[in-house]
Amino acid sequence: MVTAMAFNKMWYTVALGLLLPFSYAHTDFFTSIGHMTDLINTEKDLVVSLKDYIKAEESKLEQIKKWAEKLDQLTDTATKDPEGFLGHPVNAFKLMKRLNTEWGELENLVLKDMSDGFISNMTIQRQFFPNDEDQTGAAKALLRLQDTYNLDTDTLSRGNLPGVKHKSFLTAEDCFELGKIAYTEADYYHTELWMEQALKQLDEGEVSSADKAYILDYLSYAVYQQGDLGKAMMLTKRLLELDPEHQRANGNMKYFEYIMAKEKEANKSSTDSEDQMEKETEVKKKDYLPERRKYEMLCRGEGLKMTPRRQKRLFCRYYDGNRNPRYILGPVKQEDEWDKPRIVRFLDIISDEEIETVKELAKPRLSRATVHDPETGKLTTAHYRVSKSAWLSGYESPVVSRINTRIQDLTGLDVSTAEELQVANYGVGGQYEPHFDFGRKDEPDAFKELGTGNRIATWLFYMSDVSAGGATVFPEVGASVWPKKGTAVFWYNLFPSGEGDYSTRHAACPVLVGNKWVSNKWLHERGQEFRRPCTLSELE
């Protein structure tokens, strides 16, 4: 049995069914900055090719123009006195020659296709173009940044972001496109925001191919879906002022008026009205979990501040790796980032030359980043990790081998059982939502295939500075660690007892402006029996 509410919703869906097919695709944007720079070069090459084509067309038109001007003068003279003109035998011969030969040559010139080179280049380059999924992913990345960094649509549209070098803005057509993509994802919250922004820019006089009627059509439906019937009616009336014959808008207006009349007749109790208002408010707001709110606040630098008493426990020092021979005479700089869990940062721990080598080794292999599936124990992709990564072994390069040795010397842990060095690039909106690095008790097979036990610790290199965003945050404790090129952070995921430290749950915030390169080493339990002995207390 279909309820009245369900029927009404179905009726409206049919009424607006021509708007767009209901496609709930789940795509994301996984292109790294490294690959996008290749696209910039591709586009530059196409522009050069296009300019060559324009020059060829201009040259062709110039030849035709000269021919036309010459014949214009000649025919003017000839038509004034045809018999006298043709009385000259040379003129008679040249007329025959022009019509028999030269006009044919001109015809061939006019018909000559000067676009062959450009079209050929376009065909070759097209294989590297992003597809619809990439475009949708890029749009969703913008929406993700908008939510995480609490940006209003006008700020984002006008490109007023912190740390930008090359300011850019969104046209009304761009805003309309973002709203459409949100609509296809049934994300009516963002549909409303971006359709309103597109409408605002058109109302301010922006010249655009975007049509106000189309925008109002989407906008009124998005508003209706969020429960604001009055605003939906107002927008539909405005649409009908632009296009009185709009079939769908006329049908929707009748439906809205019918619903409004029914609501007045029903005289709902105040309790029901309050409940309805609460539901509408809940729909309008993003339904975030408490952790999600903490995560976004930390990404914005709004996390809880450590008390002065706790701050006094944080120190910076010269560290020699517990008297490691390599660092006794040349200790490294180390500073405490957090106390519980203990997170330390090593400064100037990887050189620019080493960073470039690691990046060059990784770039050809970058592919969609994976996570361990707790059920199968195998690597798989996940929507909550948006980046590209590659794995590097020590035997491939002396630089990677040297980095592995450095990690072993400074942590005191055996890296022979560790996973390979993972290099990750977070591009536009790239992120890794809150997660644990270690396998929990309900994931007994998390690292079974490796045969090296659980992930005891994490070492994370920052291989680039980030203009805005991109922090590593720990929502459970309120810690934010900001990227700084040439540094690395280290923490233990497990207590010495082998139990997981749940306070190490962390996330990589979306990159708002810039480009983030990191590399990490996950160290495992096997081989650490004498390097980090087990304790009897579960939480020690």
Side-chain angles (χ1 to χ4, degrees), residues 18 25 63 75 84 94 106 148 171 183 192 228 230 277 283 327 330 344 353 364 372 380 411 414 417 509 531 533:
L18 295 177
Q63 293 179 62
T75 53
K94 292 189 72 172
L106 180 64
T148 303
T171 63
Y183 175 86
E192 179 184 359
D228 194 340
M277 287 178 65
V283 172
Y327 295 99
V344 295
E353 292 76 14
H372 265 98
T380 184
T411 62
D414 187 350
T417 58
C509 295
R531 292 172 180 262

Side-chain angles (χ1 to χ4, degrees), residues 17 19-27 136 140 180-188:
L19 187 60
L20 261 182
F22 284 86
S23 172
Y24 303 117
H26 294 284
T27 58
T136 299
K140 290 172 70 177
K180 282 200 299 181
I181 289 171
Y183 175 86
T184 59
E185 296 288 319
D187 179 1
Y188 302 116

Side-chain angles (χ1 to χ4, degrees), residues 72-133:
D72 187 36
Q73 293 175 356
L74 186 65
T75 53
D76 276 349
T77 303
T79 53
K80 288 175 182 176
D81 182 15
E83 291 185 6
F85 183 83
L86 291 173
H88 196 303
V90 173
N91 286 340
F93 166 75
K94 292 189 72 172
L95 176 62
M96 296 298 106
K97 177 176 177 287
R98 281 197 304 275
L99 291 173
N100 182 54
T101 306
E102 294 179 11
W103 274 100
E105 291 173 353
L106 180 64
E107 181 183 18
N108 290 334
L109 177 61
V110 171
L111 292 174
K112 185 177 181 181
D113 189 354
M114 312 302 291
S115 66
D116 286 350
F118 173 69
I119 296 301
S120 176
N121 190 25
M122 188 84 170
T123 303
I124 293 170
Q125 300 288 8
R126 193 180 294 280
Q127 62 183 311
F128 305 113
F129 282 15
N131 55 26
D132 289 343
E133 185 177 347

Side-chain angles (χ1 to χ4, degrees), residues 460-471:
L460 177 65
F461 284 111
Y462 292 114
M463 301 198 302
S464 67
D465 292 313
V466 180
S467 300

